Structure formats: C-alpha cells, structure tokens
C-alpha cells in the first residue's frame, strides 16, 4: 500500500485575522488571508488543506462556504484523486470532485521537492488550521508534522483524519468500504440473513468529516481564549462507532449483537416499508398517539386497542401479525393518496424517492438545496445550515488544478524592502 494513501476515502487506491486571544494570552497564528478575503462566520480563518478524496475535502468545503480561505494543496499533474473519478463529468470535470471542492484555491506543490515543500511550510506557518489525511507518519517524514510546525506556528489547529487511528491501526488503509465492513455498519444493513450491505454513499467519510469540523471549531474556540493551538485527531472507525448510536448502545449496555433487519427498526414498529397500491410507502410511527391516528385513517380502529398492539413494546413483540394487518389496508390506495391523508393526520409517512424526486421535494418545500450554477459551477448542493446573520456564500467554482498557485505563492513570498526610499 502506498504510504500516502488518504484516510477518509472510497476505494481508489478558514473580518480580521485569526481569532483574538485574551489580553494576557499569547497570540495565535498570523493570518495569511488576502486583502479581499470573503465575509462570513469564519472570515479571516485560513485553512491549509492537504486532505484528499472525501472526508477532508467535504469538511473544508463547508468551512469555505462560511468564509474560511481554504488553500487546497495538490500534487502537480494529477491533483486530488477524485479529479479522475468519472463518469459522470460536467464541463469536463468529474462531478465527484466538483461536489466537495467549491470556494477553494488550488495550489500545485510537489511535497517531495524541497522548494515546493518549503512553500507548503510557508503556507502552514500563516494558517489557522491544517487538515491532512495521509497515512500516519507521512507528514512527519515531510517535515510537516504537528510537533515540527507548532514551533513556528503555536496557534495552529492541526487536524489529522485517519482510518483506524495512530496507534495499533496506523498501518491500516482508510477505505470507507473497509470501515463500513470492519466497523459493523454492514452487519446491520441489508436484508436479514444477507452477507452485509454497504450504504449507498461513503457515509463514514461524510460523518468523519463532520466530526473533524466539529473538533476544529472547538479547538479554534480554545485558541481564542488561550492563544494555544492543538492537534485534533479523528478516525473513520471511531466516527462510525459513535454514529451507530442506538445500535452501539444496545451492544454496550445490554449485550445485544444487532443484525440486519432490512428496512425495519429493532425497537419501533410500524417503522418500515409497505406496499401501497402503486409503489412502496414508508411508515415511521414513533409513538402510540401516531399509531392510533394511523389505525383510524386506515379504517381499522380496533387495532389500536388490541392487546397485541396497544403499546410499542407489544407491537415489536407481535411485529409480523401487525405487518400483515397493515399491509392489507395500505394496499388499497396509492402511495400519494396515503401520503396526503396520513400526513394530515400527523402520521409520519412518505414515498421512496429517487434523487430527482428528492431534489424536487426540496424545491417544493423551499429549502434552497441547489446552488445556482452561475455562483459555483455545475452540480452544487447548498450548504445545509441556515444562518440568520452570516449565511453561507458561494464565491467560486471548484478550482482547476494549480489555478491559484502563483497567487498564493505571491502572498507568502517575503516582500523585499531593501530599496525602499532610495
């Protein structure tokens, strides 16, 4: 396995300068943001982004949407692996890369070259945040490890994303599919008795990116109070185990080893897919009130007072009998008809949409889930968080490889004032 394989990947192989410290605390890192730096909640935060593929780039894009100046450092010639991950393509670029790299500046540097490595170090010395997902030990060998760079930038928040941590799992490659398998997610996904099914997207990478962003913001808050940077470490396996929530707590708290149940829930019913007259319909009934409303609308009020179904625990114990009763009633009308009637009654339900249907729904609900192409290029999903005072901004399309190399190097190059005043 190559030593620089990124963790957080699918198979393929951040007004002023930095946050102000309290009066008696040491200052943080000097900001390297250009004079025309964007506004936003994270305006003035500079991110040296060595991350590749998904977990790191997704997280740094979200930071960039909020005003951070993200400098994406890439290999000359090829760049981020996902630049080649197509089809599909849009405007000649892989949509995979386009989906997680807007609002960034791309700098092409060969970290094996001493001059380019010195330029990367200069970027890091002016940064507030560094993000990397190399195999553990790689940044140290390049002279860009945390202990090395903190000597010249003590306020740096240094975020490392790994597959299985930096101790016993340091040598394991950080593939999303591998972590879904070894971390237990596939064992609770898919049909009962199956051999395990992966999620339809690299979900572990996405969750890990969100955890990394959470950690970075907490570390920046600490630096604001103390002037002190720190290392933030996030692993794919640790993030997945946390995200398994109820399934993980069932195991740790009650000794249960959960298994795949298809579209059913281990602790709630009816909470699964049913067949309406024309297509599948999901019911997500979470309490007894909703169950009684469901039974009324289905014309089966007697089910709500049946001892087998009167409480959630009873319904779980008699799941098969309840499913048979509900299936017969739901098969008499279309999914859309049931959606209208049951939703009006406060019963959570809905059809299974494809992505076209999902975006159409978001459009109808006024969620603004699409970024206009003229703002950030094709294929952009909007930042999911709404802010009342500092909304996300879409300033630029995903960069071409090395598009901002000269611009960024000019910013970090020392100014020669030897002839000033002559």
């Amino acid at each position: 396995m190559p030593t620089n394989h990124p963790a957080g990947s699918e198979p393929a192989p951040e007004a002023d300068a930095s946050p102000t410290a309290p009066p008696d605390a040491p200052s943080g890192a000097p900001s390297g943001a250009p004079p025309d730096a964007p506004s936003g909640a994270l305006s003035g935060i500079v991110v040296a982004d060595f991350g590749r593929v998904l977990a790191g780039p997704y997280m740094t894009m979200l930071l960039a949407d909020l005003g951070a100046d993200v400098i994406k450092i890439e290999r000359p010639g090829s760049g981020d692996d996902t630049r080649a991950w197509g089809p599909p393509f849009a405007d000649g670029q892989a949509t995979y890369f386009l989906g997680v790299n807007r609002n960034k500046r791309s700098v092409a540097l060969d970290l094996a070259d001493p001059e380019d490595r010195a330029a990367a170090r200069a970027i890091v010395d002016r940064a507030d945040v560094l993000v990397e997902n190399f195999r553990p030990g790689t940044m140290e060998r390049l002279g860009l490890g945390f202990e090395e760079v903190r000597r010249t930038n003590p306020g740096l928040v240094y975020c490392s994303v790994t597959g299985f941590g930096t101790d016993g799992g340091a040598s394991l490659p950080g593939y999303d599919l591998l972590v879904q398998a070894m971390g237990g997610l596939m064992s609770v996904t898919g049909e009962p008795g199956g051999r395990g099914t992966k999620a339809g997207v690299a979900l572990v990478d996405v969750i890990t990116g969100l955890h990394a962003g959470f950690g970075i913001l907490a570390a920046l808050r600490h630096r604001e109070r103390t002037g002190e940077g720190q290392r933030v470490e996030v692993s794919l396996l640790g993030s997945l185990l946390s995200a398994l929530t109820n399934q993980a707590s069932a195991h740790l708290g009650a000794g249960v080893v959960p298994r795949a149940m298809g579209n059913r829930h281990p602790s709630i019913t009816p909470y699964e897919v049913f067949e309406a007259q024309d297509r599948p319909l999901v019911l997500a009934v979470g309490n007894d009130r909703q169950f009684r409303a469901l039974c009324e609308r289905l014309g089966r009020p007697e089910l709500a007072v049946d001892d087998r179904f009167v409480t959630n625990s009873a319904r779980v114990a008699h799941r098969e009998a309840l499913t048979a009763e509900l299936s017969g009633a739901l098969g008499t009308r279309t999914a859309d008809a049931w959606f209208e009637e049951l939703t009006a009654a406060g019963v959570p339900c809905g059809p299974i949409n494809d992505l076209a249907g999902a975006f159409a729904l978001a459009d109808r609900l006024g969620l603004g889930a699409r970024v206009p192409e003229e703002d950030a290029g094709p294929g952009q999903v909007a930042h999911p968080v709404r802010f009342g005072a500092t909304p996300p901004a879409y300033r630029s399309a995903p960069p071409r490889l090395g598009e901002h190399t000269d611009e960024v190097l000019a910013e970090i190059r020392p100014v020669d004032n030897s002839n000033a005043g002559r």
Side-chain angles (χ1 to χ4, degrees):
M1 293 287 181
T3 58
N4 65 342
H5 183 273
S9 67
E10 290 194 86
E14 293 163 331
D16 337 272
S18 53
T20 304
D24 297 329
S27 61
S31 173
D36 58 346
S39 62
L42 296 179
S43 174
I45 297 296
V46 178
V47 180
D49 183 9
F50 293 84
R52 296 152 298 149
V53 185
L54 184 53
Y58 176 66
M59 180 265 291
T60 56
M61 180 185 73
L62 297 181
L63 300 182
D65 288 349
L66 302 182
D69 177 21
V70 176
I71 302 172
K72 184 177 179 67
I73 298 167
E74 304 186 73
R75 295 184 300 264
S78 57
D80 192 310
D81 292 340
T82 59
R83 288 184 179 275
W85 285 13
F89 297 95
D91 291 347
Q93 300 185 80
T95 58
Y96 200 118
F97 175 83
L98 295 178
V100 291
N101 284 289
R102 64 171 174 257
N103 284 341
K104 301 179 184 181
R105 298 195 287 169
S106 172
V107 177
L109 295 175
D110 180 1
L111 298 180
D113 177 82
E115 186 175 343
D116 280 8
R117 193 161 60 246
R121 176 64 181 267
I123 294 172
V124 171
D125 283 347
R126 293 171 179 244
D128 300 282
V129 177
L130 181 152
V131 175
E132 63 91 11
N133 63 338
F134 287 102
R135 183 76 64 86
T138 300
M139 291 291 274
E140 285 74 15
R141 288 192 295 274
L142 293 170
L144 295 168
F146 175 64
E147 295 299 336
E148 173 65 24
V149 300
R150 74 183 302 192
R151 294 191 300 108
T152 52
N153 189 352
L156 182 68
V157 173
Y158 191 111
C159 179
S160 295
V161 178
T162 68
F164 295 87
T166 56
D167 296 319
S171 64
L172 296 174
Y175 294 123
D176 179 276
L177 176 60
L178 185 61
V179 179
Q180 287 198 37
M182 297 177 68
L185 179 58
M186 290 178 65
S187 76
V188 296
T189 307
E191 293 303 315
R195 58 179 185 176
T197 302
K198 77 176 184 69
V201 296
L203 192 61
V204 179
D205 282 352
V206 173
I207 293 168
T208 303
L210 296 175
H211 287 170
F214 185 87
I216 286 170
L217 296 179
L220 286 172
R221 174 58 177 146
H222 172 76
R223 192 189 74 170
E224 183 180 7
R225 294 198 306 266
T226 69
E228 177 186 49
Q230 62 181 297
R231 186 162 194 167
V232 176
E233 296 185 6
V234 188
S235 71
L236 300 184
L237 179 59
S239 287
L240 174 56
L241 292 176
S242 175
L244 284 170
T245 57
N246 61 299
Q247 299 282 36
S249 62
H251 174 62
L252 295 178
V256 173
V257 179
R259 298 298 180 191
M261 299 179 63
N263 291 311
R264 290 178 165 180
H265 193 287
S267 304
I268 312 171
T269 197
Y271 201 93
E272 59 185 280
V273 179
F274 292 86
E275 289 296 328
Q277 191 176 66
D278 58 338
R279 57 178 175 145
L281 177 75
V282 165
L283 289 182
V285 175
N287 57 52
D288 296 337
R289 179 191 58 78
Q290 292 172 352
F291 181 67
R292 290 192 296 270
L294 171 67
C295 295
E296 289 290 338
R297 292 299 175 128
L298 293 180
R300 298 293 308 276
E302 74 279 6
L303 296 177
V305 294
D306 189 313
D307 287 343
R308 296 173 299 168
F309 312 136
V310 72
T311 66
N312 178 68
S313 296
R315 292 192 290 274
V316 171
H318 300 91
R319 189 193 304 267
E320 298 301 336
L322 178 59
T323 298
E325 297 283 2
L326 297 180
S327 295
L330 289 166
T332 62
R333 299 179 65 185
T334 67
D336 287 344
W338 282 126
F339 174 68
E340 294 295 332
E341 180 164 349
L342 294 177
T343 298
V347 178
C349 70
I352 298 177
N353 289 327
D354 58 18
L355 281 180
F359 276 100
L361 174 62
D363 291 342
R364 291 197 304 272
L365 299 178
L367 293 184
R370 308 170 191 252
V371 178
E373 187 167 334
E374 60 269 21
D375 291 345
Q380 298 294 314
V381 182
H383 195 288
V385 182
R386 290 187 175 186
F387 291 78
T390 55
Y394 310 107
R395 305 178 302 276
S396 61
R400 298 286 180 176
L401 176 60
E403 180 179 342
H404 305 94
T405 301
D406 292 343
E407 175 182 297
V408 172
L409 294 184
E411 292 169 7
I412 66 172
R413 190 176 297 123
V415 178
D416 184 0
N417 291 319
S418 59
N419 294 319
R422 292 188 182 181

